Amino acid sequence: MSELNHPHDPDCIFCKIIARKIPAKIVYEDEEVFAFHDINPWAPVHFLLIPKMHISSMAHIGAEQAPLLGRMMALVPRLALEQGCNPYPEGGYRVVSNTGREGGQEVQHLHFHVMGGPRPWLRG
Ligand code: AMP
Ligand code: ZN
């Protein structure tokens, strides 16, 4: 794929990962969603689930994006187990989307952290 067919920001690190300009350990990809390992994991399983479309944060989400977000959330149970999270209820995982400065967001491309695996974790 030489041309990206979704709105992207050429300066965004996650858009560059989607475009394979920055390497990442890919977990999942379809036409509208991408998932890859967090480079600095807090937990034995820690991946990021992102829309391919550059959406800056959860603060930019409205009713129009509800179907996309629904599809993303519906992927989490499957991907979490595939990546090594243990089954609910003894296992499970955490899904987090840091939003804005006070929410602790560092990368301004909407992402859901999916973290799981045996305790203790490095953080959280
Ligand atoms: P946040 O603080 O919620 O914006 O989280 C950004 C996350 O992106 C952090 O957990 C980083 O470790 C992760 N991250 C930053 N750069 C990369 C990269 N090149 N590949 C994988 N994960 C990254
Ligand atoms: Zn982006």
Side-chain angles (χ1 to χ4, degrees):
M1 183 169 72
S2 56
E3 209 73 55
L4 291 175
N5 60 358
H6 45 82
H8 64 283
D9 174 348
D11 297 325
C12 167
I13 187 170
F14 287 177
C15 285
K16 287 181 187 170
I17 287 175
I18 294 165
R20 311 301 206 267
K21 289 181 178 146
I22 293 176
K25 210 169 154 197
I26 298 169
V27 163
Y28 176 83
E29 179 173 21
D30 66 26
E31 281 169 19
E32 57 180 3
V33 180
F34 198 85
F36 54 101
H37 285 245
D38 196 295
I39 205 168
N40 195 7
W42 293 15
V45 176
H46 187 171
F47 64 89
L48 302 173
L49 184 63
I50 69 175
K52 283 190 170 175
M53 180 186 296
H54 181 88
I55 299 171
S56 299
S57 80
M58 276 299 286
H60 300 77
I61 293 296
E64 205 180 314
Q65 289 80 31
L68 168 65
L69 256 64
R71 287 191 287 273
M72 291 177 74
M73 289 302 102
L75 277 167
V76 169
R78 189 188 114 201
L79 297 182
L81 290 180
E82 281 177 8
Q83 292 305 308
C85 292
N86 292 312
Y88 175 94
E90 282 75 22
Y93 38 84
R94 182 178 290 178
V95 184
V96 174
S97 187
N98 299 324
T99 306
R101 176 130 48 103
E102 292 181 350
Q105 183 179 5
E106 287 174 4
V107 176
Q108 308 304 312
H109 182 131
L110 173 64
H111 52 282
F112 295 95
H113 295 258
V114 181
M115 292 166 280
R119 298 280 180 168
W121 294 357
L122 211 58
R123 289 167 76 184

